[in-house]
Amino acid sequence: MLCLPRASLLAALALLVAPAARADAPPSDGARWWKHVEFLARDALQGRETGSKGYREAAAYVAEQLAAAGVKPGAGESYLQEVELQSRRLVEERSRLALVRGGKEVPLTLGQDALLSSRVGEPGPVDAPMVFVGYGLSIPEAGHDDLAGVDLKGKIAVILQGGPEKIPGALRAHHGSTAERVKVLKQAGAVGLVTVQNPKLVEVPWERTAGARKQPSMMFADASLNEDQGLKVTVTVNMAHAQKLFVGAPHTYEALVALANADKPLPKFELPARLKAELAFETAPVKAANVVGVLPGSDPMLAREYVVISAHLDHVGVGEPVKGDRIYNGAMDNASGVAAVLEVARALQASETKPKRSVLFALVAGEEKGLLGAKYFAARPTVPASSLVADLNLDMFLPLTAFTHVVAYGLEESTLAEPLRQVAAAHGVKVQADPRPHRMGFVRSDQYAFIREGVPALAFKFGSEPGSKEERLQLRWYREHYHAPSDDLSQPVSKEGAAKFVRMLADLTRAVTDAPERPRWNESSFFRRFAKGAGQGAEGVQP
């Protein structure tokens, strides 16, 4: 893929955005949306890291905007649902990583050869043999099990990033999530996990990924909520140095990547080396808050049910400088989504007829730390769990161009697809399924927390025609701006495209809130198993 310098990308963006300014929405709609983005992504908020002063200022702003729009507090008498967390930072000066081959230690340089996870791992020493187990996926529903017949007890599983193409993207993404991987590896007796990058699937340059390692991870202070703990060590290996793991092995790194890219079965074999590591962490308590507002429904019965519109409020804060800039503003990720939620709230409250079901607006913390705020809200909602009927999630919806296509994550999974298709058609927008399921987008944002609690959900991004200049622009954005300081207010965006998206989302929300029946998982959906008596037990819930 061609990677343009930033100046070239900005020029390309400007050319694509400019024509839309003459056609789409009234400028005031886009200007209102952009005003929220400007506040949330300004340098003064220092990248809105969960629990930081900048995050608290962002939360206060969002609460004020909801109140000004006439939206009521959604966490009792407050807009804030407090979440107790713990930060954990790897102390590299007291940590180390090495391969032991033939009795000799071969040190691996942290940040250059590999990364040690500060989230999934335990303090202290690790010394264990390694076994390559393909993708490390155990998916009974698809008849696929990379761990079958492999002795992993007391060993470290080495896997290649990705999964078989024959397995549906959402199912592969679910089983490839950190929590599911840790669960099956623990059941197999493994003590650690090493993930080797596949160049075809890498989104962010290694230099940027390595720089982010110095930022703290976070987990719940309540250990019972942490689903991804239990392995002693978790490592990500730089693809440029991955062959170091496979010296003397039956297969080279390059050969394994070639098999994966040809969608051929991957072998399983023991590696002729042990992994030796020492991990040391610094921990600290963190207080954060989800911002929750509610627009009560107008129907006496349906108002007892809630449609959630969610977006994460946090970003990654201040990190390693890139071209002298240390502030990771997160304009697209995800000030844009929060701004859209605020504008949908304003539009619904201002409408002459109010939605029949109630609408919960959830601007959540800790998405960048593992969907923490959304997991907390979905597990401990501020309304009865049985009354949550749907989640519509926004995360970095990328209004870079005119709004002509919408990608809907979860399109094939529930009855939410039908109202989306109808509303999108009315706006002249083409609906698309996830065009790049290998990115695992279905489980990488806050909708997944609701899905795991049985709530049908969709998440959205601007789409494009395959091979178009719009698609190339979106792909370049990921390469150059995703989790980078350049995701700031200087990048051209389509305010008119964003305003049109907000109008479509408001209409979709109305379609879901006013439908006679609550959304359901499709009979064929794997995620239907998470439903917890949907359609039953909502009686007595008060808006």
Side-chain angles (χ1 to χ4, degrees):
M1 182 179 67
L2 177 63
C3 293
L4 296 180
R6 185 165 185 244
S8 300
L9 177 58
L10 295 182
L13 274 166
L15 288 173
L16 283 172
V17 170
R22 299 190 295 270
D24 277 347
S28 59
D29 291 350
R32 242 188 340 259
W33 168 81
W34 184 246
K35 184 177 179 181
H36 299 312
V37 177
E38 284 183 318
F39 182 91
L40 295 169
R42 60 193 180 126
D43 282 354
L45 266 61
Q46 297 283 290
R48 309 186 308 280
E49 181 174 61
T50 294
S52 67
K53 180 175 181 291
Y55 180 86
R56 291 193 295 273
E57 290 182 18
Y61 173 84
V62 169
E64 291 169 1
Q65 294 300 312
L66 290 173
V71 174
K72 295 182 178 181
E77 297 182 357
S78 173
Y79 289 98
L80 302 182
Q81 181 192 37
E82 301 292 338
V83 184
E84 299 285 337
L85 303 172
Q86 182 186 72
S87 72
R88 190 162 76 158
R89 188 189 302 272
L90 183 75
V91 183
E92 290 195 355
E93 296 78 11
R94 294 191 282 122
S95 303
R96 67 191 188 96
L97 187 65
L99 299 173
V100 181
R101 186 180 291 115
K104 296 182 179 180
E105 264 193 36
V106 180
L108 296 177
T109 303
L110 297 178
Q112 179 178 321
D113 293 315
L115 306 177
L116 282 169
S117 170
S118 60
R119 177 172 175 81
V120 183
E122 298 175 358
V126 182
D127 186 348
M130 297 185 291
V131 183
F132 182 76
V133 289
Y135 300 112
L137 294 173
S138 180
I139 311 179
E141 300 80 8
H144 180 92
D145 190 356
D146 288 322
L147 308 186
V150 180
D151 177 14
L152 280 174
K153 190 172 182 180
K155 301 176 183 179
I156 293 171
V158 178
I159 68 171
L160 183 67
Q161 177 187 10
E165 292 295 330
K166 67 179 181 180
I167 300 174
L171 184 61
R172 190 180 348 140
H174 167 75
H175 284 282
S177 66
T178 302
E180 289 298 311
R181 281 197 189 279
V182 170
K183 181 173 72 174
V184 298
L185 288 174
K186 284 168 59 180
Q187 289 173 348
V191 297
L193 172 65
V194 174
T195 300
V196 183
Q197 293 181 312
N198 182 335
K200 180 180 177 180
L201 305 181
V202 171
E203 298 174 357
V204 176
W206 178 261
E207 293 75 16
R208 201 185 308 160
T209 301
R213 78 188 190 278
K214 297 182 180 179
Q215 296 169 332
S217 64
M218 291 185 187
M219 58 189 66
F220 292 111
D222 181 350
S224 68
L225 295 173
N226 295 316
E227 299 179 309
D228 53 5
Q229 300 301 300
L231 296 181
K232 291 184 177 181
V233 63
T234 305
V235 180
T236 301
V237 176
N238 182 356
M239 61 185 178
H241 301 167
Q243 179 53 29
K244 290 184 178 183
L245 263 70
F246 297 94
V247 171
H251 302 269
T252 65
Y253 165 68
E254 291 77 9
L256 294 170
V257 169
L259 287 172
N261 291 344
D263 201 28
K264 295 182 179 180
L266 296 180
K268 294 175 276 189
F269 53 90
E270 293 187 359
L271 291 169
R274 300 174 68 88
L275 187 75
K276 190 173 183 179
E278 180 83 27
L279 288 76
F281 300 107
E282 290 179 347
T283 62
V286 174
K287 290 188 176 182
N290 296 327
V291 185
V292 187
V294 62
L295 181 62
S298 60
D299 184 275
M301 292 302 294
L302 293 180
R304 301 172 182 179
E305 298 179 340
Y306 295 81
V307 174
V308 181
I309 305 179
S310 57
H312 74 89
L313 181 56
D314 65 304
H315 194 50
V316 299
V318 177
E320 288 297 294
V322 177
K323 298 180 180 178
D325 189 355
R326 295 177 55 89
I327 299 175
Y328 290 64
N329 303 81
M332 292 296 98
D333 186 13
N334 183 39
S336 65
V338 174
V341 172
L342 293 176
E343 284 302 290
V344 169
R346 184 199 61 79
L348 293 176
Q349 172 62 16
S351 61
E352 292 184 6
T353 57
K354 299 297 186 288
K356 292 182 179 180
R357 285 183 176 84
S358 300
V359 183
L360 270 175
F361 304 97
L363 296 313
V364 295
E367 190 271 351
E368 303 287 7
K369 306 297 185 181
L371 316 186
L372 297 180
K375 286 179 179 178
Y376 190 85
F377 181 86
R380 300 178 179 179
T382 57
V383 298
S386 62
S387 68
L388 299 177
V389 304
D391 173 54
L392 305 176
N393 186 56
L394 302 184
D395 182 5
M396 199 171 66
F397 67 97
L398 290 185
L400 307 178
T401 64
F403 183 44
T404 59
H405 298 65
V406 63
V407 171
Y409 299 94
L411 184 67
E412 304 91 347
E413 306 300 331
S414 76
T415 58
L416 287 169
E418 185 56 30
L420 171 63
R421 293 187 191 280
Q422 293 175 356
V423 169
H427 285 269
V429 173
K430 181 178 179 180
V431 178
Q432 298 174 310
D434 183 0
R436 287 175 284 279
H438 61 267
R439 291 191 65 249
M440 298 174 55
F442 193 55
V443 305
R444 285 176 55 181
S445 192
D446 295 310
Q447 73 276 354
Y448 187 52
F450 290 91
I451 290 165
R452 290 289 298 263
E453 295 296 330
V455 180
L458 291 174
F460 309 96
K461 279 186 172 54
F462 275 36
S464 56
E465 287 296 318
S468 66
K469 59 183 179 181
E470 289 83 3
E471 181 186 54
R472 292 192 296 272
L473 186 61
Q474 291 164 353
L475 292 174
R476 288 199 301 271
W477 188 93
Y478 278 99
R479 186 74 178 175
E480 300 183 15
H481 297 292
Y482 178 60
H483 280 201
S486 58
D487 179 16
D488 59 18
L489 297 172
S490 68
Q491 59 188 318
V493 298
S494 174
K495 298 174 187 176
E496 295 75 22
K500 182 178 177 180
F501 175 82
V502 166
R503 292 200 301 275
M504 188 205 76
L505 183 59
D507 288 347
L508 174 61
T509 305
R510 287 300 296 260
V512 178
T513 59
D514 293 359
E517 297 183 357
R518 60 194 285 165
R520 305 183 312 276
W521 292 106
N522 294 335
E523 292 292 326
S524 60
S525 175
F526 164 82
F527 299 98
R528 183 169 175 264
R529 69 191 57 202
F530 293 119
K532 300 177 180 179
Q536 305 173 28
E539 294 80 3
V541 178
Q542 297 300 318

